[in-house]
Amino acid sequence: MGDLPHRIIVSHAPPEAYATMTRPILAKLGYAILLPEEFESVAAEAENLRPAIRIVDERQLAEIPDESDGLPIVVLTGRHGVTGADSRIVGAIRRPAGMHELYRLIQQVMEEAPRSTPRVPVHLPACCLQDGREWWGTMLSISENGCLLRSPEPLMLGAHFEMIFALPREGEIRCEVETAYQLLPDVGIIFHGLPTTQRNAISRYVVEALGAKPPVEVEVVS
């Protein structure tokens, strides 16, 4: 298969569990998603080759033996997500898995310094509003595009709700959000329709928290 990408992922999921072009685009970004038999063929020609994670359709979880290889599992699931009953499961994403959502999740699981927009750890209260309900969660990290949220209330994948939080020195941010993935026990949130002023406020906060000058604007996959 030519030069090997820097990350190999073994997929125990049918083609329809992925959105169109998800696998080809991720391969171009350095992540080859291979079926088990494809991996075995490649591994036969490469010494000590080891996959980084497994992607498993939840309907095939029972077929994955309790192995001692320690590979983390990302589950392709329905809108209700998964529980933490299986210690191997580190995250979940709704079928069909889109490229952007899957890229964000595998970056969080596999990379020490995830690419895309800069992200910094935080510990900020966030008010969540959905269908007349109100509850408080905790933001654990934030970027211009979204955040990682610890919520006492269960959130379905793909759920839309309103979030209100305040950034030190920047003030209140109020936006529509969507749950994009699970990074157990937390959920990855995407910000929707942020006004430029609020997006810039988040950017300033992140840059200041990183202790760095504003980065040069480049086009990145996010």
Side-chain angles (χ1 to χ4, degrees):
M1 61 182 286
D3 293 335
L4 291 173
H6 75 288
R7 293 289 189 271
I8 290 181
I9 299 166
V10 175
S11 170
H12 303 262
E16 60 269 20
Y18 297 92
T20 304
M21 297 304 293
T22 291
R23 291 176 63 185
I25 293 175
L26 285 175
K28 290 181 179 180
L29 294 172
Y31 299 93
I33 300 178
L34 306 179
L35 296 175
E37 56 269 27
E38 293 174 327
F39 174 73
E40 290 176 7
S41 176
V42 172
E45 303 177 3
E47 187 176 355
N48 298 322
L49 186 64
R50 175 179 166 83
I53 62 173
R54 296 184 191 277
I55 296 178
V56 184
D57 189 298
E58 67 176 345
R59 296 165 294 191
Q60 295 179 229
L61 268 174
E63 302 171 16
I64 308 300
D66 291 330
E67 298 170 301
S68 60
D69 59 14
L71 287 182
I73 291 177
V74 168
V75 175
L76 304 186
T77 184
R79 62 193 304 262
H80 291 281
V82 297
T83 67
D86 189 329
S87 61
R88 298 171 299 170
I89 298 175
V90 295
I93 190 170
R94 187 168 61 168
R95 295 183 302 265
M99 188 278 294
H100 292 290
E101 293 78 13
L102 188 54
Y103 178 77
R104 288 190 189 99
L105 182 52
I106 63 178
Q107 280 277 303
Q108 291 294 319
V109 172
M110 295 166 57
E111 307 293 350
E112 291 183 5
R115 290 171 288 176
S116 184
T117 54
R119 176 182 298 268
V120 293
V122 295
H123 195 274
L124 298 172
C127 180
C128 304
L129 305 164
Q130 183 186 50
D131 298 332
R133 296 186 300 123
E134 176 180 327
W135 72 96
W136 286 84
T138 303
M139 293 173 58
L140 303 178
S141 66
I142 188 171
S143 74
E144 285 184 43
N145 294 333
C147 68
L148 189 65
L149 179 71
R150 181 158 295 175
S151 171
E153 295 287 330
L155 285 167
M156 293 184 179
L157 293 173
H160 291 258
F161 59 101
E162 189 175 21
M163 182 182 290
I164 306 170
F165 57 94
L167 294 177
R169 297 174 297 280
E170 295 293 345
E172 183 180 279
I173 304 290
R174 189 180 189 119
C175 57
E176 298 295 323
V177 303
E178 176 185 1
T179 55
Y181 59 86
Q182 290 176 289
L183 190 60
L184 297 176
D186 309 311
V187 290
I189 300 294
I190 298 174
F191 299 146
H192 284 309
L194 270 179
T196 301
T197 53
Q198 293 193 345
R199 187 173 297 276
N200 288 342
I202 296 175
S203 178
R204 286 193 301 269
Y205 174 80
V206 170
V207 169
E208 183 175 335
L210 288 170
K213 295 180 180 179
V216 175
E217 292 188 2
V218 294
E219 184 176 354
V220 295
V221 176
S222 58

